[in-house]
Amino acid sequence: MMFFIKNKYFQNLGLIIFFIGMECFRAPDILKYGRFWEDESALFQYAWTHSFIETVCYVYGGYLNLAANISIWAAKTLVPLEYAPYVTTGTGLLFFILPLFLLLTAQDKWLQQFRTRLFATLLILLVPEHMELSLESLHIQFWLIFSTLIIILLESTPYQRYLKDGILLLCALSSMIAILLIPILGIRYLMDRNRFRLEQLCLLMIGGFIQFFICYNPYQARSFHFSFVDYLTVFFTRNFISPFIGVNIYSFAYLESIYNLRENSLIPIIPCIGAILFFIFMIYCIYKYPKIRIDIGILLLALIEMQFISIYGAIGPVNWFYHLSWNQRYVFLTQIIIVLILLYLSANLPIKGQYFCYVVILWISCVGVFNFYEIKQTAPFALTWKQQVTLWRSNPNVSFVAWPGHNVWMFKLVKKLQYNSK
């Protein structure tokens, strides 16, 4: 028994099973009912009457999302219609565990202690807001971005070489945001100066070139808005209020007050000061501890970039950020980096600094348990996906309902015209 407890392989296996089990237990209706999530239904509707090449190369939302397109094609082609949503759910689950897998199996010295790997599991599971990102294929690009950041942070060696190369290329072909990581990876290459890092940089640049110059089309629904006040205010409210205070009446009330201030073009003083103090603290850590200077500097640069693009490229007005649980896919980008920073500091600071990080990790993990089940994914309708398919087979004019419902996310499929070519 002690062999299994102390063996790293079994430790990692247990952490991954726990990770998957908790996420599925949080939203059992997804497995019970089957679902397509929001725009995932639009992709499936398009794939239903188009060929493999047309589906895989489909540009939606202004950019190519190759990972989602392949998942949707597989859902249409490889299984009966009754089981199509479970393919995209399974794909989403696979990419959901990918960042954690990279951390748990890494050979870097700071990730060898079980305590650090346990903290990684708890932080990724409980802290970032990811309800609308998990168990579906449309937003697996964000888990690919997370994985890319981890690859940049980890040492570049032949270990998992082709897996990491594939992740980087797929990330660039599935998200415009990956282009912002090219200069960060370039800086990392200049620091490491080895052929494996150069190989990673070239693949990310090739994918980014295809994405930007061949696939990208401006999408007018995006805000393309930037304000330094909103930058600081959104950064503080969404990265610290929910993780440290929790999703409750007090945090909702506070964000509502921030929303009212911004609606009247007033400056929220406390969030702005709080965000500035955080960046000052990070700069102090870079100055004070030379051994972690490069890694923390890279993560800080990524954090600054992700905060900018999450606001600038968001769909909808910037004030949507001042509603808890809204715009999760955008705030996720900064929350995952803060998680990485905290995890890295907990393993690499001097002992007093590590103890301080332990306290923070335990606190936000406890708060995260309440947050985790405060906002749940429940079926917005009474019929399961299989029951909807049964109705559709008897009446092709019936509309399918995608989550989260509200008579908005509905779509139809043309009967007997499905394109079957592989």
Side-chain angles (χ1 to χ4, degrees):
M1 180 62 69
M2 290 302 297
F3 168 79
F4 292 103
I5 295 175
K6 294 183 178 180
N7 184 277
K8 182 181 176 182
Y9 172 82
F10 289 105
Q11 289 175 351
N12 291 344
L13 181 61
L15 290 174
I16 289 176
I17 292 174
F18 168 77
F19 191 72
I20 294 173
M22 286 286 287
E23 188 66 22
C24 293
F25 183 71
R26 180 194 195 188
D29 280 1
I30 295 176
L31 303 179
K32 176 183 177 182
Y33 284 77
R35 66 97 190 255
F36 285 114
W37 175 260
E38 294 187 350
D39 294 289
E40 201 176 31
S41 61
L43 293 178
F44 187 80
Q45 185 180 35
Y46 177 86
W48 186 253
T49 54
H50 291 78
S51 67
F52 169 74
I53 296 298
E54 291 172 318
T55 300
V56 169
C57 298
Y58 184 47
V59 173
Y60 185 80
Y63 62 93
L64 174 66
N65 190 343
L66 182 63
N69 290 348
I70 293 175
S71 176
I72 292 294
W73 173 83
K76 180 203 80 167
T77 307
L78 301 182
V79 299
L81 181 59
E82 285 83 354
Y83 300 96
Y86 294 101
V87 174
T88 58
T89 298
T91 305
L93 181 62
L94 179 65
F95 283 91
F96 171 65
I97 66 176
L98 181 60
L100 180 64
F101 174 82
L102 290 173
L103 288 172
L104 295 182
T105 60
Q107 294 181 334
D108 294 48
K109 185 178 179 180
W110 65 278
L111 285 166
Q112 298 312 303
Q113 288 191 349
F114 175 74
R115 177 179 59 233
T116 305
R117 287 179 281 122
L118 174 62
F119 285 161
T121 305
L122 293 176
L123 288 172
I124 296 173
L125 179 67
L126 299 175
V127 177
E129 299 175 38
H130 64 269
M131 183 187 71
E132 68 179 33
L133 307 180
S134 64
L135 303 180
E136 49 95 353
S137 65
L138 181 67
H139 294 132
I140 55 181
Q141 56 178 298
F142 292 95
W143 299 105
L144 284 167
I145 293 168
F146 190 7
S147 300
T148 298
L149 286 167
I150 291 172
I151 292 170
I152 295 174
L153 179 63
L154 298 177
E155 296 176 357
S156 55
T157 66
Y159 178 68
Q160 294 181 338
R161 173 185 177 184
Y162 297 111
L163 172 63
K164 293 176 180 177
D165 287 350
I167 291 171
L168 291 169
L169 184 59
L170 183 60
C171 180
L173 293 175
S174 302
S175 173
M176 284 293 298
I177 300 173
I179 296 175
L180 292 178
L181 300 179
I182 292 176
I184 297 176
L185 185 52
I187 294 173
R188 188 71 192 202
Y189 165 68
L190 293 176
M191 299 298 177
D192 294 346
R193 294 284 186 175
N194 68 55
R195 64 187 181 92
F196 302 110
R197 196 67 84 184
L198 178 61
E199 182 177 279
Q200 294 173 357
L201 177 61
C202 289
L203 287 169
L204 195 62
M205 290 178 65
I206 291 170
F209 180 89
I210 295 172
Q211 182 72 261
F212 187 78
F213 291 102
I214 299 177
C215 302
Y216 173 68
N217 289 306
Y219 189 59
Q220 297 304 318
R222 302 192 183 277
S223 67
F224 299 114
H225 162 87
F226 180 78
S227 160
F228 190 63
V229 173
D230 285 321
Y231 183 97
L232 295 176
T233 306
V234 171
F235 180 85
F236 181 82
T237 53
R238 295 306 295 270
N239 293 312
F240 294 98
I241 297 300
S242 173
F244 284 88
I245 298 179
V247 178
N248 50 54
I249 58 174
Y250 304 106
S251 54
F252 273 105
Y254 182 70
L255 260 72
E256 184 177 359
S257 68
I258 299 297
Y259 173 86
N260 292 331
L261 287 174
R262 294 305 297 143
E263 280 287 287
N264 292 285
S265 300
L266 299 175
I267 299 177
I269 301 299
I270 294 178
C272 290
I273 294 177
I276 291 172
L277 289 177
F278 172 82
F279 287 114
I280 291 175
F281 171 74
M282 294 306 305
I283 294 172
Y284 169 78
C285 289
I286 294 172
Y287 169 78
K288 180 70 174 179
Y289 306 108
K291 291 183 179 180
I292 64 173
R293 185 170 295 165
I294 295 175
D295 291 337
I296 293 300
I298 285 175
L299 288 175
L300 180 59
L301 179 59
L303 181 63
I304 293 170
E305 281 192 345
M306 292 302 110
Q307 178 62 21
F308 166 76
I309 198 62
S310 66
I311 295 176
Y312 185 76
I315 295 176
V318 69
N319 283 348
W320 283 5
F321 282 95
Y322 302 122
H323 295 273
L324 281 178
S325 79
W326 288 25
N327 284 5
Q328 287 188 10
R329 59 192 180 277
Y330 303 121
V331 299
F332 175 82
L333 295 172
T334 53
Q335 290 175 347
I336 58 173
I337 299 176
I338 292 177
V339 162
L340 276 179
I341 290 173
L342 182 58
L343 180 68
Y344 185 87
L345 292 178
S346 71
N348 292 282
L349 282 179
I351 191 65
K352 291 184 178 179
Q354 290 186 25
Y355 285 145
F356 174 77
C357 291
Y358 296 161
V359 172
V360 174
I361 290 173
L362 291 174
W363 173 258
I364 62 177
S365 296
C366 291
V367 174
V369 171
F370 292 96
N371 291 348
F372 195 72
Y373 292 104
E374 181 68 23
I375 303 176
K376 300 179 181 179
Q377 287 196 13
T378 55
F381 42 81
L383 298 179
T384 67
W385 172 261
K386 291 181 180 180
Q387 290 171 334
Q388 292 187 69
V389 173
T390 300
L391 287 176
W392 172 80
R393 292 194 186 281
S394 61
N395 180 10
N397 292 320
V398 170
S399 295
F400 290 89
V401 182
W403 289 32
H406 310 306
N407 295 321
V408 176
W409 299 105
M410 304 179 71
F411 66 101
K412 291 185 176 182
L413 297 178
V414 180
K415 196 170 184 182
K416 298 181 180 180
L417 290 179
Q418 179 184 6
Y419 197 105
N420 292 315
S421 174
K422 299 182 182 181

